[in-house]
Amino acid sequence: MLRLKPGRDKSLRQRHPWIFSGAIATVEGSLERGGTVDVHTADGAFIARAAFSPESQIRARVWTFDAREAVDGAFIARRVARAVAARAPMLDPRHTGCRLIHGESDGLPGVIADRYADVVVLQLSSAGAERWRDAIVAALVEATAAACVYERSDADVRKLEGMASRVGLAHGKLPEPVTFVEDGIVYRVDVIGGQKTGFYLDQRDNRAAVRAIAASCDVLNLFSYSGAFALAALAGGAASVISIDSSNAALALARENLSSNPALPADRAEWREADVFAELRKMRDRGDGFDLIVVDPPKFAPTLAHAERASRAYKDANLWALKMLRPGGLLASFSCSGGIDAALFRKIVAGAALDASADAAVIGQFAAAADHPVSLAFPEGDYLKGLLVRKAR
Ligand code: SAH
């Protein structure tokens, strides 16, 4: 049992699922990593049932606030089935990929599962998720009838839990290649070596938005990864798309993705392996101009502690992008940093516009797609934010 210090039960009363080590007065009984533990307030009342993480600052993650609910295989199966069922309306022949389980916001802290057609990629990052691994895999197979579950439990955060990484097949056989469809476009996913689970599913709606405004535009796609924004822009009738990424493997996949979609005009796409910050300066010196620029950088600020350095990087990318926008041009700018909230992100983009002497206005806002829910009790889940900005002059 975990007993909280006096007055440290407020966030749990608001149904926030994390219990930090500093809030705990005593740990009673011998608890193993990932084991289930009841959490009591200072005056001895039950408040939550949670998974114990002996090595993390987040010492426990809540499974349930209901004292009558047992945490067992059936509990895990119910939560997995509930999450998978919520995605059923989002899958159809034009969209065969989606996030099935989004961690805390689906009541399964530390569990991420992404579906790519018949393949489910699973990422476990907390001790509690690890403890119930076999039940989670079995429940996913049961709920999805997927032919394959591949595990990519190799996120850095596992180290904070004292857990080594684990990658490999958890069920079935991995097809080669793994492909799925987003908005009618076919993508190959490198589930073994790719970033995250292999694809940035969270940007689905935002790629559709870019597709809808790309007609006749000269597009610059910064931090392109496997080219999804580029392909969306081409599908939307872009006149040209230059994509930049520092990863050779990502660009190779991007080229394959384009050739897997013969309906898209491959001759309008250019792929450049370069550091975005260096390349932007060169392009600006040449006087290049664009009608639509997508800026989708990596997670520069995983936590608040990195926010300042990250802010400078975001500002720099947006500053040069705004300088290269033609009058009337559009900037679709994103941040997936948990450490930078929407208000700070807007300030960063505003600062970039000021320094670029750009008269610019926000005409739209972006967030992660609906298969990446954000529990109202868990604001930390709201990591992806974006702005659509129009430059007047
Ligand atoms: N827009 C992509 C996802 C981008 S992820 C999509 O929709 O799929 C961020 C990408 O930025 C990664 O592919 C990474 O290789 C790349 N990257 C990180 N730092 C970079 C830098 N300094 N210059 C160029 N690319 C960089």
Side-chain angles (χ1 to χ4, degrees):
M1 188 194 62
L2 301 182
R3 191 186 292 268
L4 299 176
K5 291 176 182 165
R8 298 301 292 266
D9 51 0
K10 189 166 167 238
S11 68
L12 285 169
R13 293 206 184 285
Q14 293 169 346
R15 305 227 148 191
H16 191 281
W18 290 350
I19 300 156
F20 286 95
S21 59
I24 297 169
T26 55
V27 179
E28 287 160 37
S30 70
L31 292 176
E32 54 191 58
R33 174 183 299 154
T36 304
V37 58
D38 280 3
V39 183
H40 288 192
T41 59
D43 49 21
F46 174 93
I47 189 162
R49 188 159 289 145
F52 187 58
S53 290
E55 292 179 42
S56 171
Q57 285 292 90
I58 305 173
R59 193 54 49 92
R61 290 174 174 79
V62 174
W63 287 124
T64 179
F65 292 97
D66 182 350
R68 292 159 306 180
E69 193 169 34
V71 176
D72 52 17
F75 168 87
I76 297 291
R78 280 198 305 278
R79 289 277 164 101
V80 169
R82 185 178 78 180
V84 169
R87 273 63 173 192
M90 303 174 205
L91 290 163
D92 61 47
R94 271 187 77 81
H95 293 281
T96 64
C98 84
R99 174 149 297 187
L100 295 175
I101 303 176
H102 191 48
E104 276 75 355
S105 295
D106 277 307
L108 289 164
V111 184
I112 294 293
D114 285 341
R115 175 163 208 159
Y116 303 112
D118 236 6
V119 175
V120 174
V121 183
L122 177 65
Q123 189 161 77
L124 306 177
S125 58
S126 68
E130 184 80 359
R131 159 72 183 79
W132 292 100
R133 174 189 183 265
D134 294 350
I136 293 166
V137 172
L140 273 169
V141 172
E142 168 81 22
T144 63
C148 172
V149 179
Y150 189 85
E151 188 172 358
R152 275 293 300 275
S153 296
D154 56 358
D156 280 347
V157 287
R158 279 177 71 94
K159 291 188 195 125
L160 303 178
E161 300 270 332
M163 304 188 308
S165 64
R166 190 192 316 101
V167 294
L169 266 180
H171 168 80
K173 195 166 160 284
L174 194 64
E176 179 50 47
V178 176
T179 62
F180 81 105
V181 183
E182 179 188 275
D183 214 356
I185 301 173
V186 181
Y187 291 99
R188 287 180 78 140
V189 187
D190 180 3
V191 303
I192 297 174
Q195 298 174 23
K196 299 220 284 186
T197 66
F199 195 84
Y200 290 84
L201 287 168
D202 51 359
Q203 290 282 27
R204 178 183 50 233
D205 293 355
N206 308 330
R207 279 189 285 264
V210 161
R211 181 175 183 160
I213 57 177
S216 308
C217 288
D218 289 321
V219 180
L220 178 61
N221 177 29
L222 302 175
F223 308 97
S224 68
Y225 187 49
S226 58
F229 272 108
L231 271 62
L234 290 171
S240 70
V241 184
I242 297 175
S243 294
I244 302 176
D245 200 284
S246 54
S247 161
N248 184 268
L251 293 173
L253 202 53
R255 285 194 181 88
E256 280 181 39
N257 280 333
L258 188 50
S259 57
S260 312
N261 291 276
L264 297 179
D267 55 333
R268 296 187 189 175
E270 187 191 323
W271 309 100
R272 283 190 201 160
E273 183 185 340
D275 173 67
V276 158
F277 300 97
E279 185 68 13
L280 281 175
R281 284 169 172 76
K282 277 192 212 157
M283 294 173 81
R284 171 69 183 165
D285 287 346
R286 282 200 302 264
D288 293 356
F290 297 91
D291 307 301
L292 172 60
I293 303 183
V294 178
V295 184
D296 185 23
K299 195 161 53 179
F300 290 138
T303 69
L304 218 55
H306 308 78
E308 203 176 303
R309 230 184 77 212
S311 299
R312 282 199 291 277
Y314 284 115
K315 182 173 171 186
D316 201 47
N318 283 283
L319 167 67
W320 290 92
L322 280 159
K323 283 188 182 188
M324 278 192 293
L325 266 189
R326 294 175 182 143
L330 296 171
L331 168 71
S333 182
F334 300 94
S335 163
C336 60
S337 291
I340 292 186
D341 66 12
L344 175 56
F345 184 58
R346 189 182 275 248
K347 277 191 201 136
I348 292 169
V349 177
L354 201 61
D355 288 6
S357 306
D359 178 0
V362 173
I363 58 167
Q365 296 183 58
F366 303 115
D371 48 345
H372 296 62
V374 183
S375 164
L376 286 168
F378 184 63
E380 291 86 345
D382 197 11
Y383 66 101
L384 180 65
K385 67 277 311 172
L387 295 172
L388 182 63
V389 171
R390 182 162 53 213
K391 179 176 165 179
R393 58 176 164 77

